[in-house]
Amino acid sequence: MRKNNAKRTALCGILAALALVLMFLGGTLPFASIACPVLASLVLIPVYIECGKHWGWLWFVAVAALAAILAPQKESAVLFAFFGYYPMVRKYFGRLPKVRKCVLKFFYVNAMVFAAYALMLYVLGLTAVIEEFDGVQLWTLAFLLVMANISFFVYDLLIDRLEIVYHVRLRPKLKI
Protein backbone atom coordinates (compact mmCIF):
# COMPACT_ATOMS: atom_id res chain seq x y z
CA MET A 1 0.00 0.00 0.00
CA ARG A 2 2.85 2.36 0.75
CA LYS A 3 4.28 1.94 -2.75
CA ASN A 4 0.87 2.75 -4.22
CA ASN A 5 0.72 5.98 -2.18
CA ALA A 6 4.20 6.91 -3.38
CA LYS A 7 3.10 6.45 -6.99
CA ARG A 8 -0.04 8.49 -6.38
CA THR A 9 1.94 11.25 -4.72
CA ALA A 10 4.44 11.32 -7.57
CA LEU A 11 1.67 11.41 -10.18
CA CYS A 12 -0.13 14.23 -8.36
CA GLY A 13 3.10 16.20 -7.93
CA ILE A 14 4.07 15.94 -11.58
CA LEU A 15 0.58 16.84 -12.76
CA ALA A 16 0.40 19.75 -10.29
CA ALA A 17 3.66 21.07 -11.72
CA LEU A 18 2.22 20.76 -15.23
CA ALA A 19 -0.92 22.63 -14.18
CA LEU A 20 1.19 25.40 -12.63
CA VAL A 21 3.24 25.72 -15.81
CA LEU A 22 -0.01 26.14 -17.72
CA MET A 23 -1.11 28.78 -15.20
CA PHE A 24 2.17 30.65 -15.74
CA LEU A 25 1.46 30.71 -19.46
CA GLY A 26 -1.75 32.60 -18.67
CA GLY A 27 0.18 35.87 -18.70
CA THR A 28 1.73 35.42 -22.14
CA LEU A 29 -1.17 36.16 -24.50
CA PRO A 30 -4.34 38.21 -23.99
CA PHE A 31 -6.75 35.28 -24.37
CA ALA A 32 -4.52 32.94 -22.39
CA SER A 33 -5.75 34.30 -19.06
CA ILE A 34 -8.96 32.34 -19.71
CA ALA A 35 -7.63 29.45 -21.79
CA CYS A 36 -4.81 28.43 -19.46
CA PRO A 37 -7.00 27.80 -16.38
CA VAL A 38 -9.23 25.65 -18.58
CA LEU A 39 -6.23 23.65 -19.79
CA ALA A 40 -4.91 23.37 -16.24
CA SER A 41 -8.25 22.01 -15.07
CA LEU A 42 -8.05 19.25 -17.68
CA VAL A 43 -4.88 18.01 -15.96
CA LEU A 44 -7.16 17.03 -13.06
CA ILE A 45 -8.68 14.19 -15.12
CA PRO A 46 -5.88 11.63 -14.52
CA VAL A 47 -5.65 12.66 -10.85
CA TYR A 48 -9.24 11.82 -9.94
CA ILE A 49 -9.37 8.76 -12.19
CA GLU A 50 -6.19 7.21 -10.79
CA CYS A 51 -6.21 8.50 -7.23
CA GLY A 52 -9.86 9.16 -6.40
CA LYS A 53 -11.89 12.19 -5.49
CA HIS A 54 -10.12 12.87 -2.16
CA TRP A 55 -6.74 13.12 -3.85
CA GLY A 56 -8.40 15.11 -6.62
CA TRP A 57 -9.69 17.69 -4.16
CA LEU A 58 -6.30 17.91 -2.42
CA TRP A 59 -4.61 18.34 -5.78
CA PHE A 60 -7.04 21.08 -6.78
CA VAL A 61 -6.61 23.00 -3.50
CA ALA A 62 -2.82 22.75 -3.73
CA VAL A 63 -2.71 23.95 -7.34
CA ALA A 64 -5.22 26.74 -6.69
CA ALA A 65 -3.24 27.97 -3.67
CA LEU A 66 0.08 27.84 -5.50
CA ALA A 67 -1.43 29.57 -8.53
CA ALA A 68 -2.82 32.34 -6.31
CA ILE A 69 0.63 32.88 -4.84
CA LEU A 70 2.88 32.31 -7.85
CA ALA A 71 0.95 32.95 -11.06
CA PRO A 72 1.75 36.31 -12.65
CA GLN A 73 -1.80 36.72 -13.98
CA LYS A 74 -4.14 36.77 -10.97
CA GLU A 75 -7.20 36.62 -13.24
CA SER A 76 -6.08 33.15 -14.30
CA ALA A 77 -5.63 32.08 -10.69
CA VAL A 78 -9.12 33.26 -9.73
CA LEU A 79 -10.70 31.58 -12.74
CA PHE A 80 -8.90 28.34 -11.90
CA ALA A 81 -10.13 28.59 -8.30
CA PHE A 82 -13.73 28.88 -9.54
CA PHE A 83 -13.61 26.41 -12.46
CA GLY A 84 -10.61 24.13 -11.94
CA TYR A 85 -12.54 21.46 -10.08
CA TYR A 86 -15.30 21.15 -12.70
CA PRO A 87 -13.98 17.92 -14.32
CA MET A 88 -14.57 16.20 -10.98
CA VAL A 89 -17.88 17.87 -10.12
CA ARG A 90 -19.45 17.16 -13.49
CA LYS A 91 -19.83 13.51 -12.47
CA TYR A 92 -22.53 14.59 -10.02
CA PHE A 93 -24.44 16.31 -12.83
CA GLY A 94 -24.31 13.09 -14.87
CA ARG A 95 -26.72 11.35 -12.51
CA LEU A 96 -29.55 13.79 -13.27
CA PRO A 97 -32.12 13.65 -16.08
CA LYS A 98 -30.85 15.27 -19.28
CA VAL A 99 -32.88 18.51 -19.21
CA ARG A 100 -32.23 19.15 -15.52
CA LYS A 101 -28.55 18.34 -16.04
CA CYS A 102 -28.20 20.91 -18.85
CA VAL A 103 -30.05 23.60 -16.89
CA LEU A 104 -27.97 23.04 -13.77
CA LYS A 105 -24.68 23.00 -15.71
CA PHE A 106 -25.44 26.32 -17.36
CA PHE A 107 -26.70 27.78 -14.09
CA TYR A 108 -23.42 26.64 -12.53
CA VAL A 109 -21.21 28.23 -15.19
CA ASN A 110 -23.08 31.54 -15.14
CA ALA A 111 -23.06 31.69 -11.34
CA MET A 112 -19.32 30.97 -11.30
CA VAL A 113 -18.59 33.59 -13.97
CA PHE A 114 -20.47 36.25 -12.03
CA ALA A 115 -18.94 35.20 -8.71
CA ALA A 116 -15.38 35.08 -10.09
CA TYR A 117 -15.58 38.48 -11.76
CA ALA A 118 -17.40 40.03 -8.78
CA LEU A 119 -14.54 38.80 -6.59
CA MET A 120 -11.94 40.16 -9.01
CA LEU A 121 -13.63 43.55 -9.45
CA TYR A 122 -15.10 44.34 -6.04
CA VAL A 123 -13.08 42.39 -3.49
CA LEU A 124 -9.59 41.98 -4.96
CA GLY A 125 -9.73 45.14 -7.09
CA LEU A 126 -7.59 43.67 -9.85
CA THR A 127 -6.69 46.77 -11.86
CA ALA A 128 -6.10 44.85 -15.11
CA VAL A 129 -9.62 43.42 -15.01
CA ILE A 130 -11.10 46.80 -14.05
CA GLU A 131 -9.32 48.41 -17.02
CA GLU A 132 -10.63 45.69 -19.36
CA PHE A 133 -14.22 46.36 -18.31
CA ASP A 134 -13.88 50.15 -18.20
CA GLY A 135 -16.10 51.64 -20.89
CA VAL A 136 -17.42 48.29 -22.15
CA GLN A 137 -21.03 48.47 -23.22
CA LEU A 138 -23.67 46.18 -21.76
CA TRP A 139 -24.36 44.38 -25.06
CA THR A 140 -20.66 43.50 -25.30
CA LEU A 141 -20.75 41.94 -21.84
CA ALA A 142 -23.91 40.01 -22.79
CA PHE A 143 -22.17 38.76 -25.94
CA LEU A 144 -19.15 37.67 -23.89
CA LEU A 145 -21.44 35.80 -21.51
CA VAL A 146 -23.10 33.99 -24.43
CA MET A 147 -19.66 33.08 -25.78
CA ALA A 148 -18.65 31.83 -22.33
CA ASN A 149 -21.69 29.55 -22.31
CA ILE A 150 -20.86 28.20 -25.77
CA SER A 151 -17.25 27.67 -24.71
CA PHE A 152 -18.44 25.87 -21.59
CA PHE A 153 -20.57 23.53 -23.72
CA VAL A 154 -17.49 22.67 -25.84
CA TYR A 155 -15.38 22.31 -22.69
CA ASP A 156 -17.90 19.88 -21.22
CA LEU A 157 -17.80 17.76 -24.40
CA LEU A 158 -14.01 17.93 -24.40
CA ILE A 159 -13.85 16.48 -20.89
CA ASP A 160 -15.97 13.51 -22.03
CA ARG A 161 -13.68 12.85 -24.98
CA LEU A 162 -10.49 13.29 -22.98
CA GLU A 163 -11.67 10.83 -20.35
CA ILE A 164 -12.26 8.24 -23.09
CA VAL A 165 -8.82 8.90 -24.62
CA TYR A 166 -7.24 8.67 -21.19
CA HIS A 167 -8.90 5.32 -20.41
CA VAL A 168 -8.16 3.79 -23.80
CA ARG A 169 -4.69 5.09 -24.65
CA LEU A 170 -2.90 6.61 -21.68
CA ARG A 171 -4.06 4.63 -18.65
CA PRO A 172 -2.68 1.28 -19.82
CA LYS A 173 0.76 2.90 -20.18
CA LEU A 174 0.84 4.40 -16.66
CA LYS A 175 0.71 1.11 -14.68
CA ILE A 176 -0.28 2.72 -11.40
Side-chain angles (χ1 to χ4, degrees):
M1 189 68 172
R2 186 174 213 169
K3 186 185 284 186
N4 194 16
N5 279 338
K7 287 181 180 180
R8 286 180 180 176
T9 304
L11 177 69
C12 289
I14 290 169
L15 293 177
L18 175 61
L20 284 171
V21 166
L22 290 169
M23 294 300 293
F24 271 98
L25 294 176
T28 58
L29 299 170
F31 69 90
S33 64
I34 296 171
C36 287
V38 169
L39 292 174
S41 73
L42 295 175
V43 178
L44 177 60
I45 293 172
V47 173
Y48 73 80
I49 289 174
E50 294 300 333
C51 303
K53 65 180 178 179
H54 298 294
W55 284 72
W57 282 109
L58 287 171
W59 181 91
F60 164 74
V61 169
V63 172
L66 287 171
I69 295 168
L70 301 173
Q73 181 75 309
K74 298 306 177 195
E75 182 180 7
S76 294
V78 171
L79 290 175
F80 182 79
F82 277 86
F83 292 103
Y85 58 88
Y86 180 74
M88 235 176 359
V89 171
R90 68 184 291 279
K91 296 289 185 190
Y92 298 111
F93 290 124
R95 300 175 184 159
L96 299 171
K98 192 169 188 166
V99 173
R100 188 180 303 165
K101 175 173 59 174
C102 289
V103 169
L104 282 176
K105 281 183 180 182
F106 284 104
F107 176 77
Y108 163 82
V109 72
N110 288 304
M112 290 298 110
V113 165
F114 283 113
Y117 279 99
L119 177 73
M120 284 186 265
L121 293 172
Y122 300 115
V123 177
L124 299 176
L126 295 179
T127 55
V129 177
I130 292 170
E131 290 171 2
E132 284 179 24
F133 285 125
D134 190 33
V136 175
Q137 295 180 356
L138 188 59
W139 70 268
T140 306
L141 293 175
F143 176 75
L144 289 174
L145 187 61
V146 169
M147 293 306 293
N149 280 281
I150 293 169
S151 299
F152 177 75
F153 177 74
V154 172
Y155 171 65
D156 195 47
L157 290 175
L158 178 65
I159 293 171
D160 266 342
R161 303 307 186 264
L162 284 176
E163 285 179 348
I164 292 168
V165 168
Y166 178 77
H167 279 290
V168 172
R169 294 203 178 168
L170 297 176
R171 192 171 193 200
K173 295 177 184 175
L174 279 179
K175 298 178 186 174
I176 290 182

